[in-house]
Amino acid sequence: MNFIRILALLFISSSAIFSACAADSVSSVIMSYNIRNCKAMDNRRNVNLTAETILQQNPDIVCVQEIDSATTRSDGRYTLGELADATAMHPTFAPAIDYQGGKYGIGMLSREVPVSVKQIALPGREEQRTLLIVEFSDFVVACTHLSLTPDDQLLSVPLIVNEAAQWHKPFIICGDFNAKPGSDVINEFLKSFTIISQTTHPTHPSDHPKSLIDYIMVYSPNASAIKASNAYVLSGVLASDHLPQLVTITTRY
């Protein structure tokens, strides 16, 4: 075997190894966004502006909070469906309460069709809250919008931890936690979860951000199965009173 043939074989072998390693991981961009039912900061409902904000970031999964389905104020429209059509994503809606002849709650947009979907009730004395759990091929993503009441927030934590512990895939939770860093509820979450979103830039209100209350976290016992990178808060967008959180996760097998 001459020297050139040896080099060629080495190149082919190294390329195959590289391709195999690349195939052993997949990256996904996750966005968490309280969209205020597509009500922009000019107090007008603007589904197109919300959709444009999402499309500009090209996420694979969007966890949305505060969204209507067939309510009077939304002219009987299925808001998540409208966003799904505009972004070419799959909608999964989770109603929390009955409202104005329809439903109000949270939802998820995804490039991938879910493997399974589950919803559980969370405490909320001022308003019923919910947890949406969506399984995908490589991980599980949960979406929530916690109560404004600190006691109810704390009561929600063990319920969420219990759900996360049932999965052998990485379990990621996104949402509006209505709690600031260092608060009792965030400290309680940190006993079981690791924050992978940006932690220094406030997310509310969008025009003059003062409070960080939106997060993306991963359940710590299986956090080693993913690598988080490029975490940021999208500033300067006024499609809602919140700013979106985004992070890229790479799933490792």
Side-chain angles (χ1 to χ4, degrees):
M1 185 179 293
N2 61 37
F3 181 69
I4 293 177
R5 289 184 65 190
I6 292 173
L7 284 179
L9 286 172
L10 286 173
F11 175 78
I12 293 170
S13 298
S14 62
S15 297
I17 292 170
F18 177 81
S19 297
C21 291
D24 286 341
S25 65
V26 59
S27 293
S28 302
V29 177
I30 298 178
M31 172 188 277
S32 183
Y33 197 12
N34 182 327
I35 62 171
R36 196 168 67 156
N37 198 41
C38 300
K39 185 178 179 181
M41 289 303 281
D42 62 3
N43 288 321
R44 297 179 182 177
R45 187 172 183 271
N46 192 334
V47 175
N48 289 335
L49 182 58
T50 304
E52 288 170 9
T53 301
I54 293 170
L55 283 169
Q56 285 170 4
Q57 304 309 304
N58 194 31
D60 298 286
I61 295 170
V62 188
C63 293
V64 297
Q65 302 87 47
E66 295 193 17
I67 190 161
D68 284 2
S69 175
T71 64
T72 300
R73 68 178 176 182
S74 297
D75 298 323
R77 297 174 182 172
Y78 177 35
T79 304
L80 191 64
E82 291 182 288
L83 288 173
D85 289 342
T87 59
M89 300 178 83
H90 180 86
T92 304
F93 180 63
I97 61 170
D98 295 331
Y99 188 74
Q100 290 190 355
K103 303 289 184 180
Y104 171 78
I106 59 178
M108 198 175 299
L109 299 169
S110 59
R111 302 286 177 201
E112 180 184 342
V113 176
V115 175
S116 67
V117 175
K118 182 180 181 181
Q119 184 178 350
I120 67 166
L122 295 179
R125 64 197 66 186
E126 83 290 341
E127 178 184 299
Q128 181 67 55
R129 304 289 172 160
T130 193
L131 177 71
L132 172 63
I133 304 169
V134 181
E135 179 190 6
F136 297 101
S137 55
D138 299 310
F139 46 77
V140 178
V141 180
C143 176
T144 195
H145 184 189
L146 294 184
S147 170
L148 293 168
T149 307
D151 287 346
D152 289 336
Q153 294 173 357
L154 287 170
L155 289 171
S156 298
V157 178
L159 297 175
I160 294 170
V161 171
N162 179 65
E163 292 297 325
Q166 319 233 355
W167 295 93
H168 297 295
K169 298 178 179 181
F171 184 98
I172 298 146
I173 183 168
C174 310
D176 178 354
F177 288 66
N178 278 316
K180 298 178 181 179
S183 63
D184 289 344
V185 68
I186 296 302
N187 288 340
E188 194 64 26
F189 266 108
L190 289 178
K191 294 178 181 179
S192 302
F193 285 84
T194 302
I195 298 174
I196 57 175
S197 55
Q198 206 265 7
T199 56
T200 58
H201 195 292
T203 56
H204 181 268
S206 58
D207 52 353
H208 299 289
K210 297 178 182 178
S211 301
L212 173 58
I213 56 177
D214 302 271
Y215 304 87
I216 302 173
M217 305 182 186
V218 61
Y219 184 54
S220 298
N222 52 31
S224 61
I226 69 167
K227 177 184 178 182
S229 61
N230 195 30
Y232 63 97
V233 171
L234 181 61
S235 299
V237 293
L238 303 177
S240 168
D241 60 340
H242 284 246
L243 297 174
Q245 283 269 26
L246 294 102
V247 66
T248 298
I249 63 163
T250 302
T251 309
R252 297 177 289 195
Y253 300 95

